[in-house]
Amino acid sequence: MITKPFVCVLLALGASTALPAAAAPACVTINNGWVRLPPGPMPMTAGYARIRNDCRDEVVVVGAGSRAFEEVSLHQTTLVEGVSRMREITRLPVAAGTSVQLQPGGLHLMLMRPEVVLQEGAQLPLRLSLADGSKVDGTLQVRREPPPRP
């Protein structure tokens, strides 16, 4: 007879310890996501979005992925001595109450080897991995031109 209440207490404790990690992504959002439609079949393209952190603490993006691409990574384009250079970013901190804009010519997603045919207007899944182990899901719309600025 003691077993049932004991199991219920254990389940309740397990659920309450899992809630903070599960709830964390709700305060991180991906907005205005889009993918540049390449002019023809190409092994890569770029993706952009605004990553918003409405959490009480800083979050750190440590990875990205999508079922629509074989490989997704964060990159930053910089101008060094008049030459545009791109490098992979392994940690992207987003301070509490702020957002980071992924945009052409700066921070962006490198989307390698599409698993689907990219068509204008298509909605593609995106998942960001945070340093605390949580995940944030969003979508990227395939577009020929950047969306209007909000």
Side-chain angles (χ1 to χ4, degrees):
M1 294 295 163
I2 294 177
T3 307
K4 273 188 179 179
F6 184 67
V7 169
C8 290
V9 169
L10 285 177
L11 288 173
L13 286 173
S16 67
T17 58
L19 285 177
C27 56
V28 179
T29 55
I30 301 168
N31 303 303
N32 303 318
W34 65 285
V35 173
R36 185 176 302 278
L37 180 66
M42 296 188 68
M44 70 178 146
T45 188
Y48 312 100
R50 178 178 299 274
I51 303 168
R52 176 81 192 158
N53 177 11
D54 288 318
C55 301
R56 288 181 288 160
D57 298 314
E58 175 184 84
V59 297
V60 180
V61 179
V62 294
S66 173
R67 294 184 316 273
F69 297 91
E70 193 174 307
E71 183 182 340
V72 179
S73 56
L74 284 161
H75 280 76
Q76 183 170 28
T77 302
T78 56
L79 197 60
V80 178
E81 297 179 9
V83 177
S84 182
R85 298 189 189 261
M86 190 170 42
R87 66 181 174 96
E88 186 171 1
I89 302 294
T90 57
R91 295 180 58 82
L92 178 61
V94 184
T98 68
S99 59
V100 172
Q101 182 70 44
L102 306 182
Q103 61 189 2
L107 290 167
H108 61 280
L109 296 164
M110 284 301 304
L111 307 166
M112 306 296 291
R113 296 176 293 288
E115 300 277 349
V116 298
V117 175
L118 299 181
Q119 297 179 355
E120 188 169 14
Q123 298 287 324
L124 306 176
L126 174 66
R127 175 169 279 180
L128 299 178
S129 298
L130 304 181
D132 68 1
S134 61
K135 310 287 185 198
V136 179
D137 292 328
T139 58
L140 302 171
Q141 181 181 33
V142 180
R143 303 179 59 96
R144 288 187 194 281
E145 299 293 326
R149 292 195 177 245

